[in-house]
Amino acid sequence: MYKIIEREQLTETIFKMVVSAKRIAKSCKPGQFIIAKIDEKGERIPLTICDYDREAGTITIVFMAIGASTYRMSSLMAGDSFRDFTGPLGQPSEFVTDPIDEVKKRKYLFVAGGVGTAPVLPQIKWLKENGIEADVIIGAKTKELVILEDEFKKYSGNLYITTDDGSYGRSGMVTDTIKYLIEEEKKNYDVCVAIGPMIMMKFVCLLTKNYDLPTIVSLNPIMVDGTGMCGACRVTVGGEVKFACVDGPEFDGHKVDFDQAMQRQTLYKSEEGRAYLKAKEGDTHHGGCGNCN
Ligand code: NAD
Ligand code: FES
């Protein structure tokens, strides 16, 4: 059992929990995810790690209550426990394994959208601990939906907050601020990391392609069971079939076929859609556990 040490409601539908998970806290790296399961019958919920404390042995997760399972999860309180809390899973962010001298030479721009702001935090924290201050754009629909602002102030270089309705910070979508920074402020970035809803990551990539700005995206939103077996997170990257939960979650955004991934995401929600994908994609519709036959 994995005890919830702290629970905080960040917005009407977004919740933050600090969970005791010593083994994961000891070895996890930015970019990786965990799978939470409330009880034996509960669904597996893959969530990118939002923070970790190696000494206290805790992992912080942030999630939006949007379905039956995440809604149930939001009703758990400090003192309650998860039945399973598995991880760390997936590949760490590229800069963690790249030579640090190379990473230090790069100018990073992070683009964090909505609840996808949370997984950006361990990345900029890791960079700051290694002497690198990244510029960050946080985008949210309204002022009430901006999360983790104080934490970001601590770890980012320049922080730009933008709201779709202009109720806080700059007005407009994250792409407007990217354009402003590059075209008007004449900022030169070497790498952009965009984490948020699929539609945001698609439009960030369309824009950064025009600037020849390499862009990494995190495809956590298309994961379902996080095991490489359900097939939900199958995605074409540079013409090759990949699975976000095994090969990712982070990929070169300029090579991701977003339209196909978003169409599959919609189809995967119904039984009929899943049967269609299975018929269309054959054995490659899932991650190839080898047990189907
Ligand atoms: P949202 O819809 O409020 O969007 C956040 C920001 O993204 C907006 O404020 C806007 O600036 C930008 N954006 C949205 N559409 C855009 C477009 N067409 N062009 C340019 N910019 C655009 O976000 P939300 O409701 O908090 O998002 C929830 C989604 O985030 C869920 O789908 C969830 O799966 C996903 N998510 C992603 C990750 C990840 O690792 N990528 C992690 C957690 C959650
Ligand atoms: Fe099921 Fe990746 S989430 S195969």
Side-chain angles (χ1 to χ4, degrees), residues 16 28 65 83 88 111 132 147 152 156 162 225 238 249 252 275:
K16 173 176 153 185
C28 69
R83 164 81 164 72
V111 182
I132 303 154
I147 57 168
F152 272 83
S156 58
T162 169
D225 72 349
D252 177 342

Side-chain angles (χ1 to χ4, degrees), residues 228-232 234 241-243 264 274-293:
M229 288 190 276
C230 73
R234 182 190 197 271
V241 170
K242 300 279 180 194
F243 290 85
R264 285 191 94 263
R274 286 196 293 277
Y276 168 78
L277 289 173
K278 190 172 177 182
K280 189 173 162 229
E281 296 167 355
D283 276 350
T284 67
H285 84 280
H286 60 56
C289 63
N291 295 322
C292 285
N293 297 323

Side-chain angles (χ1 to χ4, degrees), residues 26-228:
K26 208 169 163 186
S27 60
C28 69
K29 299 197 173 69
Q32 292 186 300
F33 68 97
I34 58 93
I35 294 178
K37 208 172 152 192
I38 300 171
D39 51 33
E40 210 152 332
K41 288 187 183 148
E43 250 186 86
R44 299 160 62 88
I45 306 171
L47 293 166
T48 313
I49 293 167
C50 165
D51 202 0
Y52 49 85
D53 184 329
R54 302 211 197 280
E55 255 174 49
T58 58
I59 293 290
T60 303
I61 50 170
V62 170
F63 62 94
M64 192 184 252
I66 37 164
S69 299
T70 42
Y71 182 71
R72 260 188 80 206
M73 200 160 119
S74 70
S75 68
L76 297 177
M77 295 291 159
D80 291 339
S81 297
F82 285 98
R83 164 81 164 72
D84 288 320
F85 205 78
T86 312
L89 299 165
Q91 310 302 322
S93 303
E94 210 175 52
F95 56 75
V96 175
T97 47
D98 283 349
I100 192 68
D101 290 344
E102 289 302 312
V103 178
K104 282 188 173 172
K105 284 182 202 153
R106 299 178 195 147
K107 181 79 187 140
Y108 279 88
L109 172 65
F110 282 81
V111 182
V115 69
T117 299
V120 172
L121 190 63
Q123 306 209 8
I124 58 159
K125 192 174 164 186
W126 188 95
L127 288 172
K128 175 102 180 183
E129 283 165 1
N130 284 279
I132 303 154
E133 285 196 348
D135 281 3
V136 180
I137 301 171
I138 295 181
K141 287 193 188 82
T142 65
K143 181 176 194 249
E144 291 68 40
L145 295 174
V146 175
I147 57 168
L148 307 172
E149 185 180 351
D150 290 343
E151 287 85 340
F152 272 83
K153 277 185 182 153
K154 220 156 69 184
Y155 299 117
S156 58
N158 298 304
L159 176 64
Y160 305 89
I161 297 186
T162 169
T163 48
D164 300 3
D165 67 354
S167 52
Y168 189 51
R170 297 176 56 81
S171 178
M173 300 223 173
V174 291
T175 38
D176 298 320
T177 300
I178 299 174
K179 261 189 222 160
Y180 163 78
L181 292 176
I182 294 178
E183 292 182 13
E184 292 183 39
E185 293 273 317
K186 308 287 178 208
K187 296 248 187 182
N188 276 315
Y189 296 108
D190 300 301
V191 185
C192 171
V193 180
I195 305 185
M198 290 293 281
I199 193 74
M200 178 201 96
M201 296 189 283
K202 173 185 163 172
F203 280 97
V204 167
C205 287
L206 286 173
L207 179 65
T208 56
K209 250 185 204 172
N210 298 334
Y211 303 124
D212 275 333
L213 171 58
T215 300
I216 309 280
V217 294
S218 172
L219 299 187
N220 178 294
I222 58 173
M223 289 186 204
V224 172
D225 72 349
T227 63

